Amino acid sequence: MAQAGMQELLKKTLAENKDIVPSDPLFLHNGELYPTMICCPETLKILDTFETRSDDVILVGYPKTGTNWVGQILVELEAASGKYDEEERRKRSMRQRERELSLFPYLEFGDPAKFERMKQLPSRRVIKTHLAPQRLPKSIFQKKAKILVLFRNPKDTAVSYLHFANGLKLLPTPKTWDEFFSDFIKGKVPWGLYLDHIIEWNKYLDDKNVMFITYEQIKENAALEIKRMAEFFDFTVNEQEIQSIVEKTSFKTMKDEASETNEGIGKFLFRKGVVGDWKNVFSEDQNKEMDRKFEESVAKTKLGMMMKYDVYCQY
Ligand code: A3P
């Protein structure tokens, strides 16, 4: 769903589920933190009842890695590949359908009855989630749905996360950068330690239904990466359609559209959209700490190397 109506939906869902939603801004489920404002323990408990379709288009990305951007690219690819006429396109509009069905745009958000309502979405569904692979519903792997896994350099991800968490009041109190960095590096934030997600995904390197991509790769050559996404998901699109998707999903276009329709969330979802903003924020000690953690845990793994830490996370 676009940002339009999202706050309204949040309020409604929280009111409906007041008996099962904890009063703290964060709650623990299976050892991981989630924000009460958008997630609900009951939904997480029954996540495994979600019925994947083999043609579902699954996008997985830790918060603030660019999931709204890539999600929109996939929605556009599905629409272009479907060659729907104008009316069909309007009827099938993911945004429209999600609004009608009161669906939050991420699998683990919202009320427990959502999985039943999701059955009404027409194929191919584009499904986004921030969950680490071991927490995904089993049916995603059983049905062999294709999964695109998105990463972003951890320094920009952390900076983006702070703005978002403070902006949306996801945390118990607004955090300073220093406080947030200290939580982020320990994984004491919703969806846990980012580096752990990367480590876990290294177990899926040989799975041909999983494709890895980085925010930075798309920033460098969106057309090329959109083409790779289309091939992976078997979307049939021509060069002209790819070019049109590049334009429709540019930072400016998405930000402008969000500011026309949203109720305040857009400015946190579409903040700067650049690579390297961390250089304005990280202290020397924080830099060293992140470099050390990355080196210790991820740097020598295949996915760690794919992230080009030396290029994007060094001065
Ligand atoms: P910044 O806060 O660094 O600007 P997510 O969608 O996973 O919440 O990620 C949000 C980040 O992606 C934000 O980063 C946001 O600006 C950036 N983003 C969103 N749309 C984008 C686009 N079309 N192009 C580039 N970056 C985009």
Side-chain angles (χ1 to χ4, degrees):
M1 179 194 305
Q3 296 65 48
M6 173 108 162
Q7 280 181 349
E8 207 178 286
L9 184 54
L10 282 171
K11 274 188 228 144
K12 185 169 157 261
T13 307
L14 288 178
E16 282 169 5
N17 294 288
K18 63 180 183 318
D19 296 336
I20 50 176
V21 173
S23 53
D24 285 344
L26 296 176
F27 68 92
L28 262 178
H29 175 80
N30 282 347
E32 196 133 286
L33 286 171
Y34 294 89
T36 308
M37 191 178 166
I38 40 184
C39 293
C40 155
E42 294 301 313
T43 306
L44 296 173
K45 271 186 215 150
I46 61 158
L47 201 70
D48 253 339
T49 64
F50 168 69
E51 291 176 21
T52 307
R53 297 178 196 155
S54 52
D55 66 355
D56 279 341
V57 173
I58 313 279
L59 170 65
V60 187
Y62 186 82
K64 314 321 292 171
T65 51
T67 51
N68 280 284
W69 179 23
V70 180
Q72 191 57 33
I73 291 175
L74 296 174
V75 165
E76 295 290 347
L77 275 172
E78 196 280 329
S81 178
K83 316 281 179 234
Y84 310 123
D85 62 28
E86 208 36 54
E87 198 194 329
E88 181 67 9
R89 199 181 158 107
R90 236 192 338 268
K91 260 203 322 225
R92 300 175 60 93
S93 153
M94 193 76 184
R95 224 173 258 179
Q96 182 60 25
R97 297 295 284 138
E98 284 181 328
R99 203 172 298 143
E100 285 160 9
L101 294 168
S102 296
L103 288 172
F104 287 87
Y106 290 77
L107 190 61
E108 66 274 29
F109 290 9
D111 62 299
K114 69 178 288 187
F115 300 128
E116 210 38 51
R117 300 199 300 279
M118 283 181 80
K119 292 181 181 168
Q120 295 176 50
L121 288 173
S123 292
R124 296 176 74 184
R125 302 178 297 187
V126 174
I127 294 170
K128 294 186 284 187
T129 170
H130 294 317
L131 294 167
Q134 69 278 23
R135 295 176 188 270
L136 288 173
K138 308 257 177 316
S139 65
I140 292 184
F141 296 102
Q142 285 157 357
K143 288 280 178 179
K144 299 190 180 356
K146 293 212 171 162
I147 310 171
L148 180 66
V149 184
L150 174 67
F151 296 120
R152 184 182 192 184
N153 80 71
K155 291 183 182 175
D156 281 334
T157 302
V159 173
S160 182
Y161 206 155
L162 169 76
H163 287 279
F164 186 71
N166 277 349
L168 249 70
K169 302 191 175 60
L170 290 186
L171 307 174
T173 51
K175 299 269 177 186
T176 62
W177 163 247
D178 289 348
E179 289 166 339
F180 185 79
F181 175 81
S182 156
D183 288 347
F184 182 85
I185 200 105
K186 294 190 201 89
K188 281 168 62 185
V189 292
W191 287 276
L193 184 63
Y194 180 35
L195 300 182
D196 279 350
H197 287 234
I198 305 169
I199 292 170
E200 279 299 316
W201 277 115
N202 269 288
K203 298 176 185 161
Y204 296 81
L205 286 169
D206 297 330
D207 187 333
K208 62 180 186 337
N209 294 314
V210 180
M211 170 176 157
F212 300 99
I213 197 162
T214 66
Y215 179 95
E216 293 78 10
Q217 282 174 320
I218 313 172
K219 282 293 285 186
E220 284 193 5
N221 192 340
L224 180 72
E225 297 307 323
I226 293 174
K227 199 170 176 181
R228 280 208 315 132
M229 291 182 221
E231 279 163 12
F232 173 67
F233 284 112
D234 295 318
F235 287 132
T236 316
V237 281
N238 60 33
E239 293 295 332
Q240 209 182 337
E241 286 163 330
I242 289 180
Q243 205 43 50
S244 153
I245 295 174
V246 171
E247 283 153 29
K248 281 190 198 159
T249 59
S250 75
F251 180 72
K252 185 175 177 330
T253 308
M254 287 186 71
K255 189 181 170 83
D256 289 349
E257 195 190 317
S259 64
E260 276 167 27
T261 54
N262 86 93
E263 299 153 45
I265 297 179
K267 65 176 180 287
F268 306 114
L269 284 178
F270 306 99
R271 194 183 59 97
K272 287 195 172 176
V274 298
V275 178
D277 189 36
W278 63 268
K279 292 177 188 166
N280 302 314
V281 182
F282 271 64
S283 71
E284 209 179 309
D285 283 349
Q286 288 163 346
N287 243 332
K288 278 192 194 140
E289 196 175 347
M290 181 65 94
D291 292 351
R292 190 173 47 77
K293 286 263 176 185
F294 194 86
E295 184 58 37
E296 277 170 12
S297 57
V298 186
K300 295 192 178 62
T301 67
K302 206 158 173 187
L303 291 177
M305 287 188 267
M306 187 189 96
M307 292 175 71
K308 296 195 179 161
Y309 191 88
D310 289 352
V311 176
Y312 299 114
C313 282
Q314 302 296 348
Y315 284 103

